[in-house]
Amino acid sequence: MDKATWQERIRERLGATAKLLAEMTPGMTYGALAAATVLPLVTAAQQGELAAIGALFGMVGSVGGNLIANQIQQWHDRSEAELAQELSGLAETEPEWREALDALIRELETPRIVQAILGEAEWDRFERLLRQELARLGNLASYEVYLTEIHTEGGAVIQGDAHVGGDFVNRDKVIYGDEVG
């Protein structure tokens, strides 16, 4: 599983739960992002896609990769809500876990994927809750680039959309780099 495939699986998972994302309560947003980011890896590993583990190590390094990889087997039977709660707790109490999860979430651009899926009002609410939670965790500054609604690229203002990898994602669909024109 490469980065683009991983991002697409995150997008599919989050797209299926967009209503739930829009209704998040305080304290749930970081865990939800982390769980949505990690679950495609857990699924891939269960299906024998060992390249996914290699991709993990490439994105978060050996320390973070080991932390996450060592838990994959234990997570295979957890619900997304249970995993979100566990990851949120680990991020709160274990700095090395928070660093690993932050690196993975940022590398895979999960906040941008959420923004592309949610409507403007839902994203505003989600972003506000996420900012509060990140401030409490002490890692808000590392997410600033992902938490703006308006992105400027190449002189164009893109509102409510995002670039994910080499592709442009709007709220309705993914427009791959070779289709933008």
Side-chain angles (χ1 to χ4, degrees), residues 84-95:
Q85 184 175 16
E86 180 178 340
L87 293 174
S88 184
L90 287 168
E92 193 169 322
T93 60
E94 305 288 335

Side-chain angles (χ1 to χ4, degrees), residues 57-172:
F57 279 88
M59 290 181 211
V60 300
S62 61
V63 173
N66 279 323
L67 284 173
I68 295 170
N70 288 336
Q71 294 291 34
I72 289 174
Q73 183 63 31
Q74 294 174 6
W75 289 336
H76 78 280
D77 61 348
R78 300 252 167 86
S79 72
E80 192 162 352
E82 291 170 327
L83 183 58
Q85 184 175 16
E86 180 178 340
L87 293 174
S88 184
L90 287 168
E92 193 169 322
T93 60
E94 305 288 335
E96 55 278 342
W97 268 97
R98 185 174 51 251
E99 290 170 17
L101 292 170
D102 285 349
L104 193 59
I105 289 167
R106 287 190 316 260
E107 178 69 26
L108 291 165
E109 304 181 60
T110 308
R112 288 184 179 180
I113 296 170
V114 172
Q115 182 185 21
I117 291 169
L118 294 178
E120 187 175 338
E122 291 87 6
W123 167 251
D124 288 345
R125 181 179 182 279
F126 185 89
E127 179 188 12
R128 188 176 63 256
L129 293 173
L130 182 59
R131 281 181 180 277
Q132 291 169 358
E133 196 164 340
L134 292 172
R136 187 178 50 78
L137 290 170
N139 54 352
L140 176 59
S142 66
Y143 283 86
E144 272 308 322
V145 70
Y146 301 110
L147 297 178
T148 56
E149 184 178 48
I150 300 174
H151 301 281
T152 304
E153 182 142 328
V157 175
I158 303 164
Q159 187 164 358
D161 301 324
H163 286 275
V164 177
D167 304 324
F168 180 76
V169 178
N170 72 21
R171 294 191 196 284
D172 302 317

Side-chain angles (χ1 to χ4, degrees), residues 1-3 5-7 9-10 12-13 35-56 59 69 72-73 75-76 83 108:
M1 177 169 71
D2 62 9
K3 181 178 176 178
T5 302
W6 199 333
Q7 287 175 315
R9 289 180 183 174
I10 292 170
E12 289 168 1
R13 176 174 296 284
T37 303
V38 168
L39 277 172
L41 170 67
V42 172
T43 302
Q46 285 177 317
Q47 296 171 349
E49 289 183 54
L50 298 181
I53 303 297
L56 168 69
M59 290 181 211
I72 289 174
Q73 183 63 31
W75 289 336
H76 78 280
L83 183 58
L108 291 165

